């Protein structure tokens, strides 16, 4: 804020920043560093052979592939949901809006067993899909379904505020220049939503890659087929292969850190775009 | 005032702004198609799982439902879940206030790095959040030998569960308070100090009343995740029935024993907690006029 700023500094800086850094180091940073320190017990070639073992590679393919697919599906339906919530009025809208965050609030284990009950061969939806030859539960498709569920809020909640703040003048200008509604949406509105859509996609993807609870019940967990990477870590731990578990965890952590930086960049872009779009 | 909008969201009066404007609305047929498709997706992916939890829980009737809830191991799991949240939430509350005070009310180098580091736990897979404590406190971990010499158990015991719960919920309160306190600025605190208040008086009489709803918002979200956490807790729990099982772990054990009705009975309590969380969250959002934003996003 421009103007005269009192030179006085608010008290408590040393205490608050000191406590913040101390607490964060104790709970998060030092324990996380253990992953890299423990991984260093392996020689580079040993590390490489652990993290590129066929069963581990198959788990990356499933985890990243299913996460990409689920995030892409969430971009489409998340955009439609955000559009519906911002632009249309209909009965029950407030309840729908509040329930969008259910995947956050509902514990993942609960979501996992509920989705399995729905999509199992004798389940509410599964019993209609199975005769058609579509098996969802205990297949990679089940993994995608669980990851769609947990990713729903991210796209909706990143697009919603941007769509809400979007100036109608742009659409009015396009319409007055003779654009059809579809042209206006495609050429004017969607480009302005692009940063938010991409941010939501990246968040849904990043969350899906690390997801465990909602997936393991519905996945079937067959090695090479429906085994996600976090489960590989658990399996190795149960076999007391701590170094192996840690090596795979180190790979996941590096991917997560990269995604975190990408998301931070995207959010900065969204904020800039949003400001200039007003 | 980025991040904190002053108008109410989700109101139908707001949508009318677009619906009445011929330049900003779709033909009625397209509008209803979009509403239908998005509501079908909403029903299939969000409502159906919620419905499934309660219908499966009550499949064997209210009597069986009640018996599943008062079963001693189930009660023990509820007690442990409450204990873990009762420790993790207040600690992360204090952390959130300290972090927000440092970041929102002061200028210093490395602020953005600190904000990113606070967000880290949301980027880390819950499984890794559990694994790190095994590497530090496990039998072969850094402090393993020392701990076993002194007969202290951390992992595969209650302290490990509490630590893992703290880890996954670290950012919640801080994340809600930082934008709120940044938007509120520093003038009110500066005025209080000029008028002779001490730092603590300024915090308790000026800052705290200003942030109370944001604080409650963060606490509600933090609590929901603390009580519902599964992956991180699963890694460090010993899976000992009646001793180191939280409610989500109890759900898993019952489910894997094919005791579906009991698993869904315990799960239904967690689903109720989720619904209560969403109700409180929505009420606070209306009060604060808070923009919708992704929660717990990596």
């Amino acid at each position: 804020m421009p103007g005269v700023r009192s030179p006085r500094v608010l008290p408590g800086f040393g205490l608050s920043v000191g406590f913040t850094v101390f607490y964060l180091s104790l709970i998060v940073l030092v324990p996380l560093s253990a992953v890299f320190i423990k991984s260093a017990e392996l020689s580079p070639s040993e590390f490489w052979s652990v993290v590129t073992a066929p069963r581990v590679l198959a788990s990356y393919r499933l985890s990243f592939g299913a996460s990409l697919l689920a995030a892409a599906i969430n971009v489409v339906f998340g955009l439609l949901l955000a559009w519906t919530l911002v632009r249309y009025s209909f009965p029950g809208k407030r309840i729908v809006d509040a329930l969008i965050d259910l995947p956050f609030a509902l514990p993942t284990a609960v979501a996992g067993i509920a989705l399995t009950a729905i999509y199992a061969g004798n389940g509410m939806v599964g019993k209609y899909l199975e005769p058609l030859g579509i098996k969802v539960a205990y297949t990679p498709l089940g993994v995608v379904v669980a990851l769609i569920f947990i990713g729903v809020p991210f796209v909706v909640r990143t697009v919603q505020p941007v769509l809400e703040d979007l100036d109608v003048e742009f659409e009015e200008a396009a319409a007055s220049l003779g654009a059809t509604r579809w042209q206006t949406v495609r050429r004017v509105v969607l480009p302005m939503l692009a940063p938010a859509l991409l941010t939501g996609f990246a968040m849904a993807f990043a969350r899906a890659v690390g997801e465990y609870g909602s997936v393991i019940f519905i996945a079937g967990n067959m090695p090479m087929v429906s085994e996600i990477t976090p489960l590989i870590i658990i399996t190795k731990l149960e076999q007391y292969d701590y170094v192996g578990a840690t090596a795979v965890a180190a790979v996941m952590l590096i991917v997560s850190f990269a995604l975190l930086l990408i998301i931070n960049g995207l959010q900065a872009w969204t904020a800039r775009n949003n400001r200039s779009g007003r | 005032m980025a991040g904190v909008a002053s108008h109410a969201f989700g109101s139908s009066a707001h949508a009318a702004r677009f619906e009445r404007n011929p330049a900003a609305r779709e033909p009625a047929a397209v509008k209803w198609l979009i509403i239908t498709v998005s509501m079908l997706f909403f029903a299939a992916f969000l409502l159906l799982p919620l419905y499934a939890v309660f219908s499966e829980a009550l499949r064997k009737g209210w009597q069986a439902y009640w018996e599943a809830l008062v079963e001693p191991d189930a009660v023990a799991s509820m007690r442990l879940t409450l204990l873990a949240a009762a420790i993790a939430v207040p600690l992360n509350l204090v952390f959130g206030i300290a972090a927000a005070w440092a970041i929102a009310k002061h200028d210093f180098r490395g602020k953005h790095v600190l904000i990113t580091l606070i967000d880290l736990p949301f980027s880390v897979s819950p499984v890794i959040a559990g694994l790190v404590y095994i590497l530090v406190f496990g039998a072969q971990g850094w402090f393993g030998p020392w701990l076993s010499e002194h007969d202290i158990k951390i992992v595969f015991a209650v302290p490990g569960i509490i630590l893992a719960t703290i880890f996954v919920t670290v950012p919640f309160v801080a994340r809600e308070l930082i934008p709120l306190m940044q938007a509120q600025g520093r003038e009110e605190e500066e005025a209080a100090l000029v008028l002779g208040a001490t730092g603590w008086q300024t915090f308790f009489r000026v800052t705290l009343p200003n942030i109370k709803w944001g604080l409650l918002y963060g606490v509600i979200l933090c609590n929901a995740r603390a009580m519902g956490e599964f992956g991180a807790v699963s890694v460090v729990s010993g899976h000992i029935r009646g001793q180191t099982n939280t409610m989500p772990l109890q759900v898993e054990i019952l489910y894997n024993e094919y005791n579906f009705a009991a698993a869904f009975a315990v799960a239904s309590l967690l689903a109720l907690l989720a619904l209560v969380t969403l109700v409180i969250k929505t009420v606070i959002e209306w009060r604060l006029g808070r923009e919708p934003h992704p929660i717990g996003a990596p």
Side-chain angles (χ1 to χ4, degrees):
Chain A
M1 186 168 285
V4 188
R5 270 274 293 279
S6 130
R8 182 189 274 277
V9 172
L10 294 179
F13 175 69
L15 179 65
S16 60
V17 89
F19 178 72
T20 302
V21 171
F22 171 74
Y23 185 91
L24 207 55
S25 307
L26 198 68
I27 298 289
V28 179
L29 303 178
V30 173
L32 270 183
S33 73
V35 171
F36 297 105
I37 294 169
K38 182 84 181 174
S39 301
E41 284 177 17
L42 293 169
S43 73
S45 65
E46 284 170 329
F47 181 87
W48 187 251
S49 73
V50 170
V51 301
T52 57
R55 191 169 156 186
V56 180
L57 283 181
S59 83
Y60 299 146
R61 270 195 295 276
L62 176 66
S63 274
F64 289 103
S67 300
L68 270 177
L69 187 58
I73 290 170
N74 271 322
V75 164
V76 175
F77 289 97
L79 173 63
L80 288 179
L81 265 171
W83 192 277
T84 303
L85 288 172
V86 173
R87 299 238 161 175
Y88 306 137
S89 29
F90 57 95
K93 183 163 120 169
R94 285 186 171 217
I95 295 170
V96 173
D97 198 5
L99 280 176
I100 293 290
D101 284 310
L102 183 72
F104 159 74
L106 193 69
T108 52
V110 177
I113 64 169
L115 290 169
T116 312
I118 294 168
Y119 289 100
N122 56 358
M124 274 181 271
V125 175
K127 69 179 169 207
Y128 299 109
L129 294 178
E130 209 117 299
L132 303 173
I134 306 170
K135 275 183 113 120
V136 179
Y138 318 121
T139 71
L141 194 55
V143 177
V144 177
V145 167
L147 296 180
I148 292 174
F149 172 82
I150 58 141
V152 170
F154 296 117
V155 177
V156 179
R157 294 304 192 210
T158 45
V159 171
Q160 213 176 354
V162 178
L163 198 53
E164 189 82 54
D165 290 344
L166 209 69
D167 207 323
V168 254
E169 276 173 30
F170 292 104
E171 288 162 68
E172 284 167 351
S176 73
L177 292 170
T180 64
R181 182 65 189 147
W182 172 237
Q183 282 173 328
T184 306
V185 169
R186 198 164 51 99
R187 301 264 182 86
V188 178
V189 180
L190 286 185
M192 289 199 280
L193 296 180
L197 281 168
L198 210 55
T199 307
F201 172 83
M203 283 175 175
F205 176 72
R207 172 70 209 271
V209 168
E211 177 58 17
Y212 175 70
S214 59
V215 175
I216 51 152
F217 294 97
I218 201 171
N221 307 326
M222 286 230 315
M224 305 298 295
V225 179
S226 56
E227 194 178 40
I228 55 169
T229 311
L231 184 65
I232 294 268
I233 297 176
I234 300 255
T235 310
K236 285 186 183 293
L237 278 178
E238 280 168 356
Q239 295 161 349
Y240 301 102
D241 179 9
Y242 290 151
V243 192
T246 310
V248 177
V251 172
M252 286 198 70
L253 268 185
I254 291 166
V255 172
S256 301
F257 292 162
L259 285 168
L260 176 67
L261 294 180
I262 291 171
I263 290 169
N264 280 353
L266 284 170
Q267 276 176 317
W269 183 34
T270 311
R272 258 201 322 276
N273 221 47
N274 205 10
R275 226 175 294 127
S276 63
R278 284 191 192 190
Chain B
M1 297 269 285
V4 184
S6 50
H7 47 293
F9 275 85
S11 63
S12 37
H14 217 79
R17 180 162 68 98
F18 302 104
E19 286 177 314
R20 293 215 192 93
N21 188 337
R25 68 177 181 217
E26 289 75 48
V30 176
K31 167 184 164 176
W32 287 106
L33 181 69
I34 293 176
I35 294 182
T36 308
V37 171
S38 60
M39 287 305 108
L40 280 176
F41 178 81
F42 172 79
F45 280 93
L46 299 185
L47 284 187
L48 202 57
L50 195 58
Y51 167 77
V53 172
F54 292 104
S55 75
E56 294 287 330
L58 293 169
R59 182 168 276 202
K60 291 189 180 162
W62 286 95
Q63 178 72 22
Y65 179 74
W66 179 251
E67 278 165 13
L69 293 185
V70 296
E71 195 266 331
D73 290 342
V75 173
S77 76
M78 295 171 205
R79 222 177 268 135
L80 184 54
T81 289
L82 289 175
L83 173 73
I87 295 174
V89 176
L91 283 176
N92 285 331
L93 168 70
V94 173
F95 167 77
I97 292 174
W101 181 264
I103 288 167
K105 304 286 180 185
H106 301 272
D107 298 309
F108 58 96
R109 281 179 57 177
K111 191 191 268 196
H112 288 284
V113 176
L114 187 58
I115 294 176
T116 305
L117 290 178
I118 291 172
D119 280 345
L120 263 187
F122 284 166
S123 303
V124 173
S125 172
V127 167
I128 297 177
L131 167 74
V132 295
Y133 290 114
I134 292 184
L135 298 180
V136 175
F137 298 114
Q140 296 165 34
W142 292 348
F143 299 111
W146 187 87
L147 288 169
S148 66
E149 238 168 67
H150 293 79
D151 213 22
I152 305 168
K153 263 194 94 117
I154 292 187
V155 290
F156 309 127
V158 173
I161 290 176
I162 293 168
L163 277 172
T165 306
I166 296 173
F167 184 107
V168 294
T169 54
V170 160
F172 280 106
V173 177
R175 235 191 207 193
E176 296 306 325
L177 287 187
I178 291 168
L180 181 68
M181 284 167 70
Q182 277 175 335
Q184 285 171 349
R186 304 170 193 176
E187 282 83 3
E188 287 188 43
E189 281 85 2
E190 283 164 356
L193 290 165
V194 169
L195 293 171
T198 66
W200 287 109
Q201 280 173 331
T202 306
F203 173 73
F204 281 108
R205 306 249 180 101
V206 178
T207 311
L208 203 54
N210 277 340
I211 61 170
K212 60 173 188 273
W213 290 107
L215 202 60
L216 184 61
Y217 192 85
V219 164
I220 288 294
L221 300 180
C222 185
N223 179 67
R225 179 71 196 267
M227 290 192 172
E229 178 52 27
F230 175 73
V233 170
S234 164
V235 175
V236 292
S237 159
H239 298 280
I240 306 163
R241 299 185 74 126
Q243 285 178 40
T244 59
N245 274 338
T246 61
M247 287 171 77
L249 296 175
Q250 183 71 14
V251 168
E252 182 196 26
I253 288 194
L254 292 169
Y255 187 86
N256 287 342
E257 288 170 349
Y258 302 100
N259 194 347
F260 295 139
F264 278 100
V266 177
S268 73
L269 287 188
L270 291 167
L272 277 178
L273 168 76
L275 290 177
V276 170
T277 301
L278 291 181
V279 168
I280 300 175
K281 169 183 166 294
T282 307
V283 170
I284 301 174
E285 277 169 4
W286 290 347
R287 268 206 103 93
L288 278 175
R290 192 110 164 70
E291 275 195 358
H293 59 294
I295 291 161

